[in-house]
Amino acid sequence: MRCAGAAAAAEIARRFPELLADGVVIATGAGNNGGDGWVVAQALRAVGIRVRVIECADAATPDARAERDAAVALDIPVRRDFRALGDGTERIVVDALLGTGFRGDTELREPIAGAVRLLAERGRRGACIVALDVPSGLDATSGASRGDLRAALTLTFGTAKRGQLVARALCGEVVVLDIGLGTHVQAAGGAPLVDARWFRHALPAIAADAHKGTRGSVAIVGGAQGMGGASVLAARAALHSGAGLVKCVVAPESLPSVQEAVPAALAATWPMDDGIARRDIGDWADVVLIGPGLGRGDARAMVERVLRAFDGPVVLDADALNAFANDADSLAPLLRNRAALLTPHPAEFARLAGDGATVEQVLADRFEWPTRLAARSGAAVLLKGTPTVVASPSGGTTVVAEGTPILATGGAGDLLGGIAVTLLAQVRDGALAGALAAFAHGRAAWKVNARDVRGYTLDDVLRELPSVWSLETPPPRPPVIADLPAVGERR
């Protein structure tokens, strides 16, 4: 508790020096989260910062009581009426009411419910709400919230919590602080959380003597009539990700527009028999992406034809997945234990999983569903969303918490597919390629703008991709072990 409170106080002082002159008010609850708040009060007072505590519930644990007594001994002003949170001119308000023990299926009770309402009101009036571990009323596992308290900054301890990654809008910037819990990783429920340092280490280097052949030949199968733009976006993303050669295999009606839009790519029309598929794709490509703009017509027949003609690594996206709705088990023999990656969004995932699965069920259990589908299909599975979860058929799971709502638009998945298929050509591991691609895709969007969304397009994201491949990792800054920016528009 003392490590947590001291680390939180140091981070508050470092981030908001211009706000400290107006003092800090801390709202404490009955449990150990309140105890953390009492330690924050002591640490700030020790360096001369004006601080007061609103004790919204009596300290109920031995550690919390001990820290309360220590704070009182320092003559820190204490009020025991939660309504005092509505008073004062402090621009920093620390939420230490409820921690990770709260469950979203329970109601907030008074006086905590009233305190949460007043904290929310202070935030709406411009105060900087700093939450310890989670904004009070947030379920740290599910992301469900009671009270919808929005923090500007959430300081959490030891590991990132799943609920924080789901409810980014409520948590603001999320900073994970080491408090001496022993060997650990920046994780969400045990799954590693991808960061810039991991990305730089895992990203394969392009050799000095590389040529277009060694950088990988990527075939993109899709582009039905009226949907050629999906293949164009995927091809541009592949070229921006280091592919040596790209070929768009599209419907005859889409061929002229695709060739004009991506002159650096080769183009061919859909193979209508196995022999042509083998010639144009199987004997040419190092890796294949099937799905961008493929359409719903004879999509399954096309997927099966390409997979018979080509036995190398594949990425299946969009309509290539919809073609196997309620029949995911048929994918395993087609993929034949090759390196493969499936990249569904939640609705595509629910269709593929079958058995009446709904989008709501997938989202509620988003950290477990990909592992089950990976085991069934024999392919790595990348479930898009906030956050993105990547599961390996061998059982491992990785979480990627990059990205902004700039990617919440048609075509963003096609960019991801083009990035992922290029990386798959280079690493030959579906789960690794998926995690790398999800990070690069999301970080490029973040580099465009973390908070503002309107006015930006996927062309802006593409322009930022080169800077992601040369991303410099920040130096270590103990006790910070992870730092996730606030994303989404502010109101």
Side-chain angles (χ1 to χ4, degrees):
M1 182 178 290
R2 292 203 63 80
C3 287
E11 197 65 14
I12 290 169
R14 188 191 72 82
R15 287 172 176 270
F16 308 116
E18 73 284 358
L19 304 182
L20 294 175
D22 293 323
V24 177
V25 60
I26 301 170
T28 62
N32 284 341
N33 193 252
D36 294 338
W38 288 109
V39 177
V40 170
Q42 297 170 60
L44 294 176
R45 177 64 174 270
V47 294
I49 296 169
R50 180 168 58 86
V51 63
R52 66 186 177 111
V53 176
I54 310 303
E55 189 177 14
C56 301
D58 293 339
T61 69
D63 286 344
R65 286 195 294 267
E67 297 304 340
R68 180 196 186 281
D69 293 344
V72 169
L74 293 174
D75 293 326
I76 292 174
V78 178
R79 292 281 301 276
R80 302 190 68 186
D81 182 351
F82 76 89
R83 289 170 293 189
L85 279 171
D87 306 330
T89 59
E90 300 94 347
R91 289 190 288 165
I92 299 175
V93 183
V94 177
D95 167 22
L97 293 172
L98 298 172
T100 57
F102 179 78
R103 294 293 172 261
D105 57 358
T106 60
E107 295 287 344
L108 292 177
R109 299 179 180 179
E110 299 295 347
I112 298 300
V116 168
R117 287 194 298 271
L118 287 173
L119 286 175
E121 176 60 27
R122 290 286 295 262
R124 287 191 291 270
R125 297 202 317 254
C128 177
I129 306 298
V130 179
L132 302 185
D133 239 346
V134 290
S136 289
L138 179 72
D139 188 315
T141 300
S142 70
S145 176
R146 298 286 184 171
D148 292 329
L149 176 61
R150 292 175 179 265
L153 172 67
T154 297
L155 300 173
T156 193
F157 309 117
T159 64
K161 282 68 177 178
R162 290 180 171 187
Q164 296 163 346
L165 303 180
V166 172
R168 295 288 292 278
L170 299 181
C171 294
E173 186 172 0
V174 179
V175 176
V176 184
L177 300 170
D178 179 15
I179 57 170
L181 295 179
T183 302
H184 60 275
V185 293
Q186 296 131 241
L193 179 64
V194 169
D195 64 0
R197 190 167 289 106
W198 177 92
F199 176 78
R200 287 296 298 165
H201 176 76
L203 184 68
I206 295 177
D209 60 352
H211 52 80
K212 63 185 179 183
T214 60
R215 284 173 57 172
S217 298
V218 174
I220 298 169
V221 182
Q225 184 176 6
M227 293 189 286
S231 291
V232 168
L233 287 170
R236 288 176 175 169
L239 291 166
H240 277 74
S241 301
L245 289 167
V246 174
K247 179 189 284 187
C248 295
V249 183
V250 297
E253 300 87 350
S254 299
L255 188 66
S257 61
V258 168
Q259 287 191 295
E260 182 176 353
V262 196
L266 303 173
T269 57
W270 284 343
M272 303 316 294
D273 61 52
D274 288 5
I276 297 174
R278 190 169 297 108
R279 182 195 69 195
D280 289 350
I281 300 172
D283 295 338
W284 180 88
D286 294 314
V287 63
V288 175
L289 166 63
I290 314 175
L294 186 61
R296 299 290 186 96
D298 294 326
R300 180 151 179 166
M302 182 64 68
V303 175
E304 292 176 345
R305 180 175 299 129
V306 172
L307 292 179
R308 284 194 302 267
F310 175 74
D311 59 6
V314 296
V315 177
L316 301 186
D317 185 37
D319 289 326
L321 299 174
N322 290 326
F324 291 85
N326 301 304
D327 194 19
D329 292 332
S330 294
L331 282 170
L334 287 168
L335 297 176
R336 297 191 300 276
N337 297 315
R338 73 180 89 200
L341 174 65
L342 315 181
T343 58
H345 58 56
E348 290 164 347
F349 191 104
R351 296 184 200 112
L352 189 59
D355 296 327
T358 65
V359 172
E360 292 73 22
Q361 289 171 334
V362 170
L363 292 175
D365 208 12
R366 73 186 76 203
F367 294 92
E368 280 70 40
W369 276 100
T371 301
R372 299 175 201 143
L373 183 57
R376 288 174 63 188
S377 65
V381 175
L382 184 157
L383 175 58
K384 303 167 187 172
T386 307
T388 291
V389 180
V390 184
S392 166
S394 63
T397 301
T398 304
V399 177
V400 183
E402 299 292 319
T404 82
I406 289 173
L407 297 174
T409 186
D414 302 314
L415 291 189
L416 178 62
I419 299 168
V421 72
T422 302
L423 292 169
L424 184 58
Q426 298 167 3
V427 303
R428 300 293 169 131
D429 180 298
L432 177 58
L436 286 166
F439 180 92
H441 186 240
R443 181 55 66 97
W446 177 82
K447 280 177 164 285
V448 171
N449 201 300
R451 301 306 299 265
D452 296 325
V453 174
R454 299 177 193 273
Y456 296 106
T457 70
L458 296 178
D459 286 337
D460 299 305
V461 177
L462 275 172
R463 279 191 287 269
E464 287 295 341
L465 264 178
S467 67
V468 176
W469 304 126
S470 58
L471 183 68
E472 294 294 331
T473 59
R477 188 171 61 80
V480 174
I481 55 176
D483 189 344
L484 302 177
V487 294
E489 292 189 333
R490 295 153 288 193
R491 286 291 181 267

